[in-house]
Amino acid sequence: MSNEINVKFHIRRYNPKKDKSPYFQVFDIPVSKGMVILDALHYIRENYDSSLAFRYSCRMGVCGSCGMLINGSPTLACNTQILDVSDKEITIGPLPNFQILKDLVPDLMPLFEKHRSISPFIIRDEKELDDPEGEYYQTPEQLEEYLQFTYCIKCGCCMAACPTLATDKNYLGPQPLSQAHRYNKDTRDSGRKKRNEITGSRDGAFKCHYAGECSRVCPKGVDPAKAVQILKRQLVFEFLHLIKKQEPCQKLHGPGKGEKLDIPEAPEKTV
Ligand code: FES
């Protein structure tokens, strides 16, 4: 094809079953306008090395399977035009902050387990489940409160970009926290208190340093950083409420089990 140019792809390879450490392999790929990164990976597999491992399914930015590190930024391979990244050299690796199963395939199980831990579904009172009264109506304004956060496709890009997760694997991370906020904000849900036990725990929302990288890389515009900040605010209000009522608050970073908070007097004004 006349309008093709050759782009060098540096692909990170690693097979834990036989390689001692990861290494890079370089492939020259003929690229034409309209080709996405996923097309280049298919080209490599069909023409150079059929053992290259990568994950994909929908090829249209919906399933969240093809997240990878493209020139240092976590993003979707099926949704990224090659020529928008570079017409010379492109480096591709697996998503950071996850174990690597092979080549460009990360193990996303920790993400799914953390997601499951925040009860990502609408929780209703048990009594009502036995005796439903009818449909659950919602106004457009109430829907607007959480709609943006429903667009998450669980690709893992936000988790891969998070600097806190890079140093602390126990931190819940932006994806589960933003989804906790999504359900907390749903007027049909009554599970916020249950989720607070996870989101307000030692490894929850307050570990977020608000670097904002999760929102920068999110391919669906979910803005997890915003969700986490709102979540923190909500947790602080509920924490203050507990202090006011002098209730045991061991579930949020308070004193030990069964203890009550001893609130000191505010110091005299100094200025
Ligand atoms: S293949 Fe489904 S999001 Fe890329």
Side-chain angles (χ1 to χ4, degrees):
M1 231 188 279
S2 57
N3 286 336
E4 281 178 350
I5 54 168
N6 268 26
V7 177
K8 268 193 191 343
F9 279 78
H10 300 255
I11 310 288
R12 195 172 187 265
R13 305 296 305 269
Y14 181 51
N15 182 350
K17 289 201 178 123
K18 63 182 182 69
D19 298 327
K20 280 207 179 98
S21 56
Y23 61 97
F24 279 92
Q25 233 180 341
V26 184
F27 301 94
D28 265 326
I29 312 285
V31 170
S32 54
K33 193 163 180 263
M35 277 177 70
V36 294
I37 297 286
L38 192 59
D39 294 328
L41 297 176
H42 277 293
Y43 187 93
I44 293 169
R45 200 146 75 175
E46 280 158 23
N47 295 282
Y48 293 120
D49 186 347
S50 59
S51 72
L52 176 65
F54 53 96
R55 193 190 275 139
Y56 72 99
S57 180
C58 70
R59 306 177 88 150
M60 53 194 287
V62 172
C63 72
S65 302
C66 68
M68 52 189 77
L69 196 68
I70 299 173
N71 270 11
S73 196
T75 192
L76 299 180
C78 72
N79 216 14
T80 305
Q81 293 282 323
I82 295 173
L83 297 178
D84 285 350
V85 181
S86 172
D87 58 1
K88 292 188 176 57
E89 306 206 29
I90 295 177
T91 303
I92 303 180
L95 288 180
N97 299 347
F98 294 102
Q99 293 261 335
I100 303 309
L101 296 177
K102 194 183 169 204
D103 295 335
L104 305 175
V105 181
D107 179 4
L108 295 181
M109 273 319 284
L111 158 64
F112 299 136
E113 277 159 11
K114 287 176 179 176
H115 184 230
R116 189 182 295 130
S117 77
I118 56 93
S119 305
F121 43 81
I122 289 173
I123 297 172
R124 303 288 296 184
D125 293 336
E126 298 230 343
K127 187 173 142 283
E128 193 210 337
L129 286 179
D130 295 336
D131 186 17
E133 285 172 11
E135 293 174 60
Y136 312 135
Y137 294 110
Q138 227 168 26
T139 66
E141 292 74 26
Q142 288 170 332
L143 173 67
E144 204 56 45
E145 283 282 308
Y146 67 86
L147 183 63
Q148 172 182 8
F149 307 109
T150 66
Y151 296 143
C152 173
I153 56 172
K154 298 152 201 78
C155 60
C157 287
C158 62
M159 305 286 271
C162 174
T164 308
L165 262 179
T167 54
D168 184 350
K169 299 281 176 241
N170 293 328
Y171 170 45
L172 212 50
Q175 192 279 340
L177 287 169
S178 65
Q179 293 314 288
H181 176 64
R182 173 257 176 272
Y183 286 97
N184 286 352
K185 276 289 169 188
D186 194 316
T187 49
R188 299 164 296 178
D189 177 82
S190 54
R192 194 179 72 242
K193 281 204 173 119
K194 181 172 180 236
R195 287 186 205 100
N196 284 355
E197 293 178 16
I198 309 291
T199 59
S201 72
R202 197 167 297 281
D203 295 317
F206 293 105
K207 270 193 176 170
C208 167
H209 296 178
Y210 196 20
E213 279 296 285
C214 52
S215 295
R216 184 183 68 78
V217 302
C218 176
K220 306 306 280 185
V222 168
D223 199 352
K226 178 181 174 185
V228 179
Q229 305 327 301
I230 302 173
L231 197 55
K232 281 183 194 170
R233 187 168 179 270
Q234 182 75 45
L235 284 162
V236 167
F237 279 140
E238 294 188 16
F239 185 50
L240 290 175
H241 180 67
L242 286 179
I243 292 173
K244 233 171 150 184
K245 284 174 61 185
Q246 287 278 288
E247 280 185 1
C249 52
Q250 63 273 18
K251 294 277 167 58
L252 304 166
H253 295 284
K257 202 172 179 188
E259 289 174 6
K260 298 204 171 188
L261 272 184
D262 184 16
I263 310 167
E265 288 296 314
E268 292 277 316
K269 272 192 172 179
T270 52
V271 287

